[in-house]
Amino acid sequence: MSAENQRRAWMSRLAKAPADRLLTLWTSHGAAPEFHWLRAPEIGATMVRGRLGGTGAPFNLGEMTLTRCALQLESGAVGHGYVQGRDKEKARVAALVDALMQTEQAEAVRAAILTPLQAEMTATKDTRAAKAAATKVDFFTMVRGED
C-alpha cells in the first residue's frame, strides 16, 4: 500500500472512531507533543454527495457538520484532523495522531491507537453483519408439474 493510501486509511479510521474511545486511547498513549496551530479547530459544513445505486450520476445529498484543524509539531511534521460533527477535541487528537504517524513514533502510535481502533471497528462491523444475516430470507420459486 502506498504512503498516500496508508495515510488515507488512518485518517479515515480516526474520523470514524467514536470520540470517547479515541480520547481514551490517546490519553493512555502518553503526553501530547508540543505543537503550534496552523489552523485552529473550526466548525463548518460540507456538501455530501451521493450516487443512485452507487454508480449513477452524482447528486447533492445534503450538508454535514464538520470540524477541521491543522497543526505542526516541533519536529516539523504537519497533521490534519477532519471529523464529523462539532467535536474540536476529537479533531485536535486526530491531527496530533496524523502528525505523529509521519515521525519516528509511527509504529508506537499505530500499536497504541490505530490497531485497537481498527480491531474494535471490525468487531462492530462483524456484529452488525451477523445481526443482518440472521434476518436474511431466501426466496425461491417452485415449479409445479411439467409443461
Side-chain angles (χ1 to χ4, degrees), residues 81-99:
Y82 288 86
V83 299
Q84 181 179 352
R86 301 172 156 266
D87 194 337
K88 291 181 179 182
E89 182 65 11
K90 181 180 176 187
R92 181 186 72 85
V93 170
L96 283 166
V97 171
D98 179 42

Side-chain angles (χ1 to χ4, degrees), residues 40-57:
E42 57 188 10
I43 298 169
T46 188
M47 182 60 66
V48 178
R49 301 199 50 147
R51 292 180 183 268
L52 291 176
T55 58

Side-chain angles (χ1 to χ4, degrees), residues 42-117:
E42 57 188 10
I43 298 169
T46 188
M47 182 60 66
V48 178
R49 301 199 50 147
R51 292 180 183 268
L52 291 176
T55 58
F59 65 94
N60 292 337
L61 184 64
E63 290 187 345
M64 175 184 84
T65 305
L66 176 81
T67 303
R68 69 178 183 175
C69 66
L71 52 80
Q72 186 172 24
L73 300 179
E74 295 297 318
S75 67
V78 175
H80 299 277
Y82 288 86
V83 299
Q84 181 179 352
R86 301 172 156 266
D87 194 337
K88 291 181 179 182
E89 182 65 11
K90 181 180 176 187
R92 181 186 72 85
V93 170
L96 283 166
V97 171
D98 179 42
L100 287 171
M101 285 298 293
Q102 299 171 61
T103 68
E104 65 281 348
Q105 296 180 40
E107 286 309 311
V109 171
R110 185 182 316 278
I113 298 171
L114 296 176
T115 301
L117 282 178

Side-chain angles (χ1 to χ4, degrees), residues 12-18 114 116-126:
S12 173
R13 195 171 309 148
L14 292 167
K16 294 173 185 174
L114 296 176
L117 282 178
Q118 182 62 43
E120 293 165 12
M121 293 167 93
T122 301
T124 300
K125 183 178 178 182
D126 291 346

